[in-house]
Amino acid sequence: MSELHAILRRLGLDFAAGTPLPGAASDRFLPASSEVVTTEDPSTGARLADVALASSADYDALVDAARAAFPAWRDTPAPKRGALVRRLGELFREHKADLGELISLEVGKIRSEGEGEVQEMIDVCELAVGLSRQLTGLTIASERASHRMMEQWHPLGPVAIVTAFNFPMAVWAWNAALALVCGDPCVWKPSPLAPATAIALQGLCQRAMADVGASGVLNLAVGGAELGRRMAEDPRFPLVSFTGSVRAGRDVAARVAGRFGRSLLELGGNNAIIVLDDANLDLAVRAITFGAVGTAGQRCTTTRRLFVQRGVLPALLERLKRAYAKISSGDPRAPGVLLGPLVSAAAVRSFEQAVAAAVAQSGEIVTGGKVVARPGTSSSRRSCARRATIASPSRGKRPSRPSCTCSRWRASTRPSASTTR
């Protein structure tokens, strides 16, 4: 039995080995379609499983299930809706180790980050359960005697949730937990790079729904960009929550706005840290290293740029070199490893292109910047990359992730570091 199937079995999902995992589900998993996507271990490139994509008919069936569930779920008292979220949190806590291991296996996060992501799901469930008893509205004075006005918030309807690979579980939970207590069923399209994690969660969702007597409020449709575009344009979704790149977010926003729907967008970042001459360099190095190296530089909050005053730049770069030299890379589930793989071969190529572009713009590689060869992997699938610190690139286009560029400046006057934000 493969590692993936062993984890799924411990989660209560006993799929036959050698057959595609079903990628469409509501209260039950739908029969697998003929079109599949292969999910791989990014550490080695080894095939984990084939996953059947949701067909067009599957998608319509899942949206119809969410719409059919909406009237009863809307009329369910919010604290009782919170009971479903409470049960989800209990299951996540019970299976925290297995869910964290699955994240490490499929998307390459180190073990502590994988389990930390599961803890984020548990935390947001606790938050949402509390909110289920606090869905308040205003009481407003009226000019009419013996009258008052009351503000009441109503559920929107079925919500589309589209998530990215880098937080394959937590982002869904942030959306779904709050949507559920507000009375909104959910249809989730996960990243095609992380379908197994989504299937595992859907299995727990089915258990939770059965335990509290809910039906059709948590649904899963595995698919690619075309399915995401269809969800953005689907008038059956009054709200679409999308997590992904800025470019894709612009497209989603335009499609949703074109039908006067609402969108909730969590997109990419270009985050910078400013280091002034009187900064605490020990603190700065820890913050920069964590911000740049965590999740192999694949977070929207990843540190990508440093703005450093000239006076402190040599000392800071030297400390960063020493810090980076201590970072161990490799199998994300191995003890002591702090830098796991990039999620795919395409991500590795993007990394190499970014470093090359920085060098072409007169950047100097201070440390890192190379793909690491690991035993047992082919040259096309060597996915661990040494994070690069690149000093003083030109003012042109900045290299994309996962590299961290460092620009220097001289300031004759500046605010105190203690008051700078």
Side-chain angles (χ1 to χ4, degrees):
M1 180 184 299
S2 70
E3 289 182 273
L4 173 61
H5 281 82
I7 295 172
L8 293 176
R9 178 168 291 185
R10 293 197 295 270
L11 295 171
L13 296 173
D14 192 8
F15 298 118
T19 61
L21 302 178
S26 183
D27 298 347
R28 61 180 180 83
F29 286 96
L30 304 184
S33 66
S34 58
E35 188 175 0
V36 300
V37 62
T38 298
T39 182
E40 299 178 343
D41 178 349
S43 292
T44 64
R47 173 184 168 276
L48 295 175
D50 290 331
V51 178
L53 302 179
S55 67
S56 178
D58 291 338
Y59 169 76
D60 283 327
L62 296 172
V63 178
D64 288 343
R67 295 181 71 198
F70 177 54
W73 192 244
R74 174 186 58 199
D75 293 339
T76 301
K80 292 188 176 181
R81 298 195 296 254
L84 172 56
V85 179
R86 179 185 296 109
R87 182 60 183 140
L88 284 172
E90 292 170 349
L91 290 170
F92 298 156
R93 190 181 301 275
E94 178 183 347
H95 297 284
K96 180 177 179 179
D98 282 328
L99 292 173
E101 184 175 1
L102 182 53
I103 291 173
S104 295
L105 180 64
E106 188 171 39
V107 302
K109 284 190 174 184
I110 61 175
R111 187 179 294 274
S112 61
E113 285 189 315
E115 293 194 11
E117 181 168 343
V118 181
Q119 186 61 47
E120 291 191 39
M121 294 200 296
I122 297 167
D123 292 344
V124 78
C125 285
E126 293 180 350
L127 172 67
V129 171
L131 290 176
S132 71
R133 294 182 179 271
Q134 300 179 61
L135 299 180
T136 58
L138 297 174
T139 298
I140 308 168
S142 171
E143 69 274 12
R144 298 180 64 187
S146 301
H147 285 74
R148 64 180 180 180
M149 294 182 288
M150 181 182 73
E151 175 189 61
Q152 184 177 7
W153 294 83
H154 294 278
L156 284 173
V159 171
I161 302 173
V162 182
T163 60
F165 75 88
N166 55 348
F167 284 87
M169 294 187 184
V171 171
W172 166 82
W174 299 340
N175 285 272
L178 298 178
L180 287 172
V181 300
C182 289
D184 302 317
C186 304
V187 180
W188 178 24
K189 190 200 87 66
S191 167
L193 294 174
T197 58
I199 290 170
L201 281 187
Q202 183 65 26
L204 296 181
C205 289
Q206 291 170 345
R207 289 171 57 182
M209 286 190 289
D211 289 345
V212 303
S215 176
V217 295
L218 289 168
N219 305 276
L220 171 69
V222 175
E226 184 57 41
L227 179 59
R229 287 189 286 268
R230 183 175 178 184
M231 296 176 84
E233 295 174 348
D234 195 331
R236 295 174 291 183
F237 291 121
L239 172 67
V240 175
S241 175
F242 173 83
T243 302
S245 69
V246 173
R247 182 178 62 179
R250 285 197 183 98
D251 182 70
V252 169
R255 292 174 188 271
V256 176
R259 58 178 178 82
F260 295 106
R262 304 183 189 187
S263 58
L264 177 64
L265 306 176
E266 185 177 3
L267 309 179
N270 191 24
N271 308 290
I273 290 179
I274 301 172
V275 184
L276 304 180
D277 282 343
D278 59 355
N280 181 326
L281 292 190
D282 290 335
L283 179 61
V285 168
R286 287 197 297 271
I288 293 165
T289 304
F290 175 80
V293 175
T295 319
Q298 297 174 112
R299 296 187 301 233
C300 60
T301 54
T302 290
T303 298
R304 290 178 54 189
R305 298 178 296 159
L306 306 178
F307 294 100
V308 185
Q309 279 196 280
R310 291 179 183 271
V312 76
L313 179 63
L316 178 67
L317 289 181
E318 186 58 36
R319 290 187 186 217
L320 283 175
K321 286 173 64 176
R322 293 199 300 266
Y324 273 41
K326 296 177 181 178
I327 296 171
S328 58
S329 62
D331 183 346
R333 293 178 293 162
V337 169
L338 297 177
L339 176 64
L342 298 177
V343 72
S344 67
V348 175
R349 290 192 295 271
S350 177
F351 167 79
E352 293 176 313
Q353 291 165 2
V355 172
V359 172
Q361 296 169 33
S362 302
E364 174 192 352
I365 299 176
V366 176
T367 183
K370 296 181 179 179
V371 176
V372 179
R374 294 190 57 223
T377 62
S378 66
S379 59
S380 63
R381 288 295 312 179
R382 293 178 301 190
S383 50
C384 284
R386 289 289 188 189
R387 290 277 292 155
T389 296
I390 301 169
S392 301
S394 65
R395 290 183 175 270
K397 180 181 177 183
R398 299 287 178 183
S400 62
R401 72 168 191 265
S403 59
C404 183
T405 62
C406 178
S407 299
R408 50 191 157 190
W409 89 95
R410 179 183 294 110
S412 56
T413 60
R414 57 169 178 78
S416 169
S418 62
T419 61
T420 301
R421 297 290 185 266

